[in-house]
């Protein structure tokens, strides 16, 4: 069981920006310092901008920063918004992958309840909670 | 976010066997009636046999059946045993995919707490709970 790389990179990017406070970093710099592909990160920054988590300052000294305080960015919400699908199994797919008993099977409702419990835990965490060890984290991303 | 196809097929196979009670079915029959690949299902049956959920009766009228009553097969346990990895993000990978701030970041503990909540819900369901609509389910898998 795994989140998509997109969600992983989105959380990693937001965490980096929370540690950078008002400093501006380009997507390339963030990618380099956080061990991500720059191409992936450009798409992640675009999506996080659409979602209102990130803002881009243009110009030769420009870059990216958080558009909200870390205390107001809820991890569960970010995961809901960046994860493409929460179809944990192929139950409701049609065609070859589809399961003939899906209409009456108790698995999908049980998995949905489990998923809601998963997300409810992440709703209790903000970006500020992920970056409590601020000094140690900043040392880890220092050049 | 998705479970592996292996776990999906394992749950689907167990559900079929719960509906079949003491009838014996070959892996090929189960695969055909549940819309799965026969090759995948042979591996799934091997693993479910190792885990003690399934037993194989040999001979020309042989086949596969549950080795335990559906009431004693806990969905959360099956998922724990069949899912290869619960590394929801690449936090702790080393090399290119690894995240430099993993040692001090709050994401991994938050995700672990969320995962435990997910599995705790599935621990409240048995295979018997998934097959409550027995008559309708049996109609759906009828030849």
């Amino acid at each position: 069981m795994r989140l998509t790389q997109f969600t992983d990179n989105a959380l990693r990017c937001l965490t980096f920006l929370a540690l950078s406070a008002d400093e501006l970093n380009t997507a390339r710099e963030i990618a380099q310092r956080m061990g991500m592909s720059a191409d992936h990160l450009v798409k992640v920054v675009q999506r996080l901008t659409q979602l209102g988590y990130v803002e881009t300052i243009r110009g030769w000294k420009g870059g990216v920063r958080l558009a909200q305080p870390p205390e107001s960015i809820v991890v569960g919400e970010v995961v809901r918004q960046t994860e493409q699908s929460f179809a944990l199994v192929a139950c409701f797919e049609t065609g070859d992958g589809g399961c003939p008993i899906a209409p009456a099977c108790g698995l999908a409702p049980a998995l949905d309840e489990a998923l809601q419990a998963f997300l409810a835990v992440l709703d209790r965490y903000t970006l500020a909670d992920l970056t409590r060890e601020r000094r140690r984290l900043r040392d880890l991303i220092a050049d």
Side-chain angles (χ1 to χ4, degrees), chain A:
Chain A
M1 192 163 96
R2 189 154 190 162
L3 296 169
T4 59
Q5 192 177 24
F6 192 85
T7 298
D8 188 347
N9 285 348
L11 291 169
R12 222 187 276 199
C13 175
L14 289 172
T15 307
F16 180 90
L17 294 176
L19 295 170
S20 303
D22 278 338
E23 292 165 32
L24 293 170
N25 294 275
T26 64
R28 185 166 299 277
E29 283 164 349
I30 301 167
Q32 192 181 2
R33 289 168 72 182
M34 292 294 276
M36 292 180 279
S37 142
D39 289 345
H40 285 179
L41 198 65
V42 168
K43 287 177 196 156
V44 165
V45 167
Q46 279 171 355
R47 180 78 183 121
L48 293 175
T49 305
Q50 285 170 352
L51 292 169
Y53 294 126
V54 157
E55 62 187 2
T56 302
I57 309 298
R58 302 200 177 277
W60 73 278
K61 279 195 170 177
V64 178
R65 68 183 177 196
L66 287 186
Q68 298 179 28
E71 291 76 12
S72 74
I73 298 179
V74 176
V75 177
E77 278 303 302
V78 175
V79 171
R80 276 187 196 84
Q81 290 166 325
T82 54
E83 199 63 10
Q84 286 182 311
S85 164
F86 286 103
L88 284 155
V89 290
C91 285
F92 294 111
E93 285 173 9
T94 50
D96 284 350
C99 181
I101 62 166
C105 177
L107 181 60
L111 284 174
D112 187 59
E113 188 186 334
L115 174 64
Q116 298 314 318
F118 177 89
L119 293 170
V121 169
L122 297 183
D123 282 340
R124 298 202 300 265
Y125 287 89
T126 71
L127 198 52
D129 297 318
L130 304 191
T131 51
R132 291 261 171 258
E133 291 200 53
R134 189 167 185 83
R135 188 177 299 178
R136 209 170 142 216
L137 286 165
R138 282 189 61 93
D139 285 347
L140 288 166
I141 55 167
D143 290 321

